[in-house]
């Protein structure tokens, strides 16, 4: 595998493109918005500059990484001739189904189609294509250049060959691939999101305040970031979406999102990306300080 396409230039997409490009792969970064592509490339450049300042890479590494990335706004051109397509679009089922149906029509029979979904059924996504054996989940963690884990999720029809290729490829990126089965939330979010939801319930019930809840978890449980701060970092809309997937998938009330989370999302209080969530990020320096805890 030499040629990779990444769909979506947002937080996850530009991070995935960065990692592949830094490891010598030719990457086509695709987004319907030219502005999103420009922002994505600016983020990659900033992250490379940060790594350069910390002497984790050399100046020529930055140059080569950026040269390895080409941007596209047209899907068919962006995926042409690629060996692997990784979808990192919005965490909404309808969007992913439409996208994979289109990908099935514009990619070759040997092209592997991966999704970075953090909770949605791989089997359901694969059913939108004519080659479900070639569809797999590749759930990277945020921030992608730093975090070592990749959840590899096999759909019901994903072939052993496809799984082996993606497991081996993840190792070549310096990541630790971990194979899990296709159930709502997989492993990472099936455990993480109920904890975040319970922290929100604790706040909602008036047991303690935001900073107090996060302090207990950071100092008492050795978490690098409290669950409410982490929810802000992930995006409250993303947290709500994942909880809804698990609640609908398992029909178990323990996954029902807290009413406070639902109201905050409706009020557009989404965390760092909106400037306000459980914490106030209207000061850009404060937002950078929070994000730096994961850098």
């Amino acid at each position: 595998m030499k040629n990779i396409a990444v769909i979506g230039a947002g937080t996850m997409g530009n991070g995935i493109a960065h990692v592949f490009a830094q490891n010598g792969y030719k990457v086509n970064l695709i987004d319907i918005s030219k502005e999103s592509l420009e922002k994505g490339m600016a983020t990659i450049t900033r992250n490379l500059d940060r790594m350069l300042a910390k002497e984790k890479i050399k100046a020529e590494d930055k140059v080569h990484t950026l040269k390895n990335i080409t941007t596209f706004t047209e899907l068919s051109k962006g995926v042409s001739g690629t060996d692997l397509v990784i979808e990192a679009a919005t965490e909404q089922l309808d969007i992913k189904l439409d996208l994979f149906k289109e990908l099935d029509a514009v990619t070759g029979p040997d092209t592997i189609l991966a999704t970075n979904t953090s909770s949605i059924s791989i089997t359901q996504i694969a059913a939108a294509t004519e080659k479900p054996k070639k569809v797999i989940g590749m759930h990277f963690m945020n921030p992608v250049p730093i975090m070592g884990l990749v959840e590899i999720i096999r759909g019901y029809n994903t072939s052993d060959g496809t799984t082996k290729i993606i497991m081996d490829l993840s190792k070549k990126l310096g990541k630790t691939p971990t194979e899990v089965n296709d159930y709502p939330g997989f492993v990472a979010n099936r455990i993480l999101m109920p904890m975040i939801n319970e922290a929100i319930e604790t706040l909602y019930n008036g047991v303690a305040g935001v900073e107090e809840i996060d302090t207990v978890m950071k100092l008492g449980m050795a978490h690098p970031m409290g669950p409410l701060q982490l929810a802000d970092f992930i995006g409250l809309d993303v947290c709500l979406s994942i909880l809804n997937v698990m609640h609908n998938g398992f029909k178990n009330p323990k996954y029902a999102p807290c009413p406070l989370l639902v109201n905050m999302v409706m009020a557009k209080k989404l965390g760092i990306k909106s400037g306000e969530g459980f914490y106030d990020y209207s000061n850009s320096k404060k937002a950078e300080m929070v994000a730096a805890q994961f850098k």
Side-chain angles (χ1 to χ4, degrees), residues 96-148:
K96 293 185 186 296
L97 293 179
D98 288 344
L99 185 53
F100 271 76
K101 185 176 182 180
E102 185 176 357
L103 285 173
D104 192 47
V106 298
T107 57
D110 295 325
T111 302
I112 293 176
L113 305 180
T115 173
N116 183 60
T117 180
S118 56
S119 60
I120 296 172
S121 169
I122 307 304
T123 302
Q124 188 172 9
I125 291 172
T129 76
E130 296 297 325
K131 52 179 181 183
K133 291 182 179 181
K134 292 285 186 178
V135 179
I136 195 166
M138 235 182 145
H139 180 209
F140 289 84
M141 304 295 124
N142 183 28
V144 181
I146 304 300
M147 302 294 276

Side-chain angles (χ1 to χ4, degrees), residues 53-72:
K54 293 181 178 180
E55 299 184 343
K56 292 184 177 181
I57 61 171
K58 297 178 181 179
E60 54 265 35
D61 295 326
K62 173 187 172 182
V63 173
H64 291 153
T65 298
L66 293 174
K67 281 186 176 180
N68 281 337
I69 304 175
T70 306
T71 59
F72 293 84

Side-chain angles (χ1 to χ4, degrees), residues 268-289:
K268 308 297 183 184
K269 309 296 185 184
L270 308 180
I272 289 178
K273 61 186 172 185
S274 69
E276 184 180 354
F278 292 106
Y279 293 86
D280 180 6
Y281 305 97
S282 54
N283 183 326
S284 59
K285 288 185 178 180
K286 184 173 182 180
E288 281 290 327
M289 287 175 62

Side-chain angles (χ1 to χ4, degrees), residues 20-34:
F20 273 98
Q22 190 175 326
N23 283 276
Y25 294 87
K26 296 296 182 182
V27 180
N28 292 348
L29 181 59
I30 307 163
D31 200 292
I32 58 174
S33 165
K34 185 177 180 181

Side-chain angles (χ1 to χ4, degrees), residues 12 16 19-20 86 114-117 136-142 144 147-153 166-167 169-180 186 188:
M12 297 305 297
I16 294 168
V19 168
F20 273 98
I86 304 174
T115 173
N116 183 60
T117 180
I136 195 166
M138 235 182 145
H139 180 209
F140 289 84
M141 304 295 124
N142 183 28
V144 181
M147 302 294 276
L149 175 68
V150 184
E151 269 190 313
I152 306 298
I153 308 102
I166 297 303
M167 292 286 285
L169 178 64
S170 299
K171 292 175 184 176
K172 290 177 182 177
L173 298 176
K175 303 298 185 184
T176 300
T178 302
E179 184 180 336
V180 305
F186 315 133

